[in-house]
Amino acid sequence: MSSPSDDDGRGESSNQRLDRNWQDMLQELRVMQTGIQILTGFLLTLPFQSRFTELDRVQVIVYLCLVCLSALITALVLASVNLHRVLFGLKVKATLVGHTAALIRTTIALVGLVLAGTAWLVFDLVVSRTAGLIVLGSVLVVVVLLWVVYPLAVRRRALRHGG
């Protein structure tokens, strides 16, 4: 049973809140899974392109790092599903929700790196190394602003104004 201080006006028990939070997280994981599958698919097709042989050593290293990061992200997304399977029926949903939240935060950070790295690789190949570095920095700044600064500002404002 939830205490009055835990009540957010929904009139739900702590178990209902955990179930709702878990469902919200599953939806977030579905969105991330689709995006990372598309990005990973793109990365995996590159070696089969005729220009791939023109990559210099730096580009090949970055490419391989991006493939490894994409694989790691896929494993992290699936880790939540596996964690659910392992914990299923043990009545430890709070543990599942807490660990899944941490996995999602880690996954989001790594997705930002893959997005920026992929943009760097494309601009480095098509335009120049300098253009690639500018795009890398720009994408990282945008990711930090949209995924860290903006949500924290909205959260702070919501807490200050009670909603």
Side-chain angles (χ1 to χ4, degrees):
M1 187 98 187
S2 59
S3 68
S5 63
D6 292 336
D7 187 12
D8 62 0
R10 294 177 189 256
E12 58 189 4
S13 69
S14 58
N15 282 337
Q16 289 169 322
R17 180 176 294 117
L18 287 170
D19 288 341
R20 179 176 49 80
N21 289 340
W22 174 245
Q23 290 304 314
D24 288 348
M25 288 178 178
L26 285 179
Q27 188 58 34
E28 292 169 4
L29 289 165
R30 285 183 191 108
V31 170
M32 283 191 291
Q33 180 180 9
T34 301
I36 200 60
Q37 284 175 332
I38 292 167
L39 188 54
T40 301
F42 163 74
L43 289 170
L44 292 176
T45 64
L46 289 181
F48 302 103
Q49 305 302 314
S50 58
R51 282 197 62 200
F52 191 80
T53 57
E54 298 173 21
L55 269 62
D56 65 26
R57 182 168 164 70
V58 172
Q59 292 165 335
V60 169
I61 290 169
V62 169
Y63 168 75
L64 292 173
C65 289
L66 291 171
V67 170
C68 289
L69 275 174
S70 291
L72 176 59
I73 292 166
T74 301
L76 283 167
V77 168
L78 294 173
S80 294
V81 175
N82 184 60
L83 189 59
H84 179 262
R85 278 292 99 214
V86 170
L87 298 177
F88 186 78
L90 298 179
K91 299 179 182 172
V92 290
K93 179 97 29 121
T95 299
L96 174 65
V97 168
H99 284 271
T100 298
L103 287 169
I104 289 172
R105 282 190 299 275
T106 303
T107 302
I108 289 171
L110 293 177
V111 167
L113 291 177
V114 171
L115 287 174
T118 302
W120 174 86
L121 184 61
V122 170
F123 274 78
D124 189 71
L125 282 167
V126 175
V127 182
S128 69
R129 176 96 1 120
T130 301
L133 292 171
I134 290 168
V135 167
L136 172 72
S138 299
V139 171
L140 286 174
V141 166
V142 168
V143 163
V144 168
L145 288 172
L146 290 175
W147 295 359
V148 179
V149 176
Y150 175 67
L152 289 175
V154 170
R155 182 178 190 263
R156 186 173 35 253
R157 186 166 192 242
L159 289 172
R160 195 173 352 158
H161 293 97

